[in-house]
Amino acid sequence: MKARFNYSVGEIVRIKSGAFQSFTGRIEEVDDDTTTLKVMVKIFGRYEPIELRFLDVEKITFTEEE
């Protein structure tokens, strides 16, 4: 059974592993066939595209504190 992930263009994710661990970025492309994402990450003041697997990221949800 294949795990299902539901990522969409424009969502904000945090990178969980690798050289860019703990960086955040915005999803620019989703490829369900290869289970990869293109995420724009700000590195040294410039946005760069990083290709990541679905398992390498986690969605960030923002909630208002009361």
Side-chain angles (χ1 to χ4, degrees), residues 13 25-28 37-41 48-50 52 57:
V13 293
R26 181 178 307 274
I27 296 174
E28 293 293 315
L37 305 167
K38 183 191 291 184
V39 178
M40 295 301 286
V41 177
E48 297 291 333
I50 306 294
L52 300 161
V57 300

Side-chain angles (χ1 to χ4, degrees), residues 5-59:
F5 294 92
N6 187 17
Y7 292 108
S8 301
V9 171
E11 287 185 305
I12 305 297
V13 293
R14 176 178 293 118
I15 301 170
K16 297 190 307 186
S17 62
F20 299 102
Q21 183 175 355
S22 78
F23 279 61
T24 59
R26 181 178 307 274
I27 296 174
E28 293 293 315
E29 290 180 18
V30 178
D31 187 338
D32 289 318
D33 294 331
T34 61
T35 64
T36 58
L37 305 167
K38 183 191 291 184
V39 178
M40 295 301 286
V41 177
K42 192 172 187 178
I43 304 168
F44 300 118
R46 293 179 46 183
Y47 285 95
E48 297 291 333
I50 306 294
E51 188 169 309
L52 300 161
R53 296 175 302 158
F54 286 3
L55 294 174
D56 292 335
V57 300
E58 62 185 352
K59 289 184 185 183

